[in-house]
Amino acid sequence: MTRPNILFLFSDEHSYRCLSLLDGTTGEPVHTPTLDSMAENGAFFSSAYCQSPLCTPSRICLLTGRSPMTSGGWANGSYLRPEIPTMPSVFGEAGYTTCLVGKMHLGGTNQMAGFAHRPYGDLTGGTGHQRDPLSMSEGGFDMRSRTADAGMTEIPESALQEQVIVRETVSFLREQNAAEPDRPWFLCASFSRPHFPLTAPGRFLNRYWPEGVSPPKVGRTGDSAFHPMTVGMAKGFRTEEVTEQEMMKARAAYFACVDYLDEILGDLLHLMERDGLLENTVIVYTSDHGEMAGEHGMWWKNSWHEAAARVPLIIQTPAQRRGDSSGARLDTPVSLADLFPTLCGLADIEAPEGLEGRDLSEAVTTGAEIPAEPVFVDNPLPRWGEGSEHRVVRMGQHKFVRFRGMRPHLLFDLEADPLEQRNLLESGTETQHAVGRQLKALIDSSWDFDAAEAQRQKDEEALLRNSLRAGSSRHGNCYKMPDGRVVAADTPLYGPTVVDT
């Protein structure tokens, strides 16, 4: 076997700040030794952006290497059109065995997304987040319960979906290696944490609560604090109702979820290394979007802020893991759109036409910085009020946010103003205004908001035509049996047979 295996470690809602290798100015006081080691012995892209900071759109865009307009990744539950090549479908056509274990949060009937195998995950479009039974019984998991119910998980640790993903991943690869030892594989292990519910085993929560948790880097301040979209987002997520005490405990629980995920990733990599499954394997780690975690007075995602759109991205080659090649930190802004062509480059596979990213494989293997190119982030839904759709472009040190109908547009210098406090379109120099005009023209020439809205409506019609059987999405995590049946995995948690009280 000459082509490398690909192990794609995928998480949900991991803020770029939550890596313990970062200094205190940028980072939070988390403990991530597994990810730190990967970053120090691999290519660590410090300024990576998701294509759309919401679960389903980001995942569809990442799988296809395209924007929401060309991939159909508009909203949570969007339908992945089967005619569009995906990373797993292209690797499968190149001779790889492909497998997805865990969450992918797709709407409609195309739940395989180009993977040949999917033994465990949210196979019915029910997202697969394991809600703690007590909060469910009280009608929880709404906007307020997300922070109000943060704390220690009620679910036995052995039954947490992260544990199941580790077991199913190792089991699949052991069987695959025994059956076809010379065939390369592409496996995505996709975890739910640190996405809410913000609950974790006690040993992690106790690190941060009641002591050990840090406040947000920035509060509800700056030129955009009362921007119409900011106001709409705060109202929609009900973040103004979160008290200081509740916010700090929720941040503690979020940090605990990050720590727990890092331990889980370490357990998985240890088992795989022991079985020789990493000897010729490229490892990727990233997340679908970030988490506001109280910054700017906000929680969750689906906005232009750095905390929502920026994510960790680490790619480690076998040579880097062995010490034959050194790792590097790469600071040039990149996009998750770049992953598809980059993995094709590392595996010597011809990338399909229509990809909107660039091949970073040379930067991964050599550690050389890449030329700066525009990086786009899209929010194509008017979720936070009429005209709140927006496209972001990051180019060098500057970031421009162009709204469909709301005003003002925004321009930040992220080197001088990393907390996005000063809108240079209102208070900058003429030189900075010229940069703003240039970046706005770049967005206007690359994105037609009216055409995007028309395409979104067509894609929503396709979703209705390809909807799942009524009621099936009530079930989150499921197993796919060898005979094709899909069965609920979490029945002991949510529909238990009680034998004693």
Side-chain angles (χ1 to χ4, degrees), residues 7 185 269-270 272-273 276-281 283 318 321:
L7 176 63
W185 44 263
L269 295 178
H270 173 75
M272 293 183 65
E273 185 172 33
L277 294 169
L278 297 182
E279 293 176 2
N280 187 34
T281 299
I283 304 176
R321 196 161 45 256

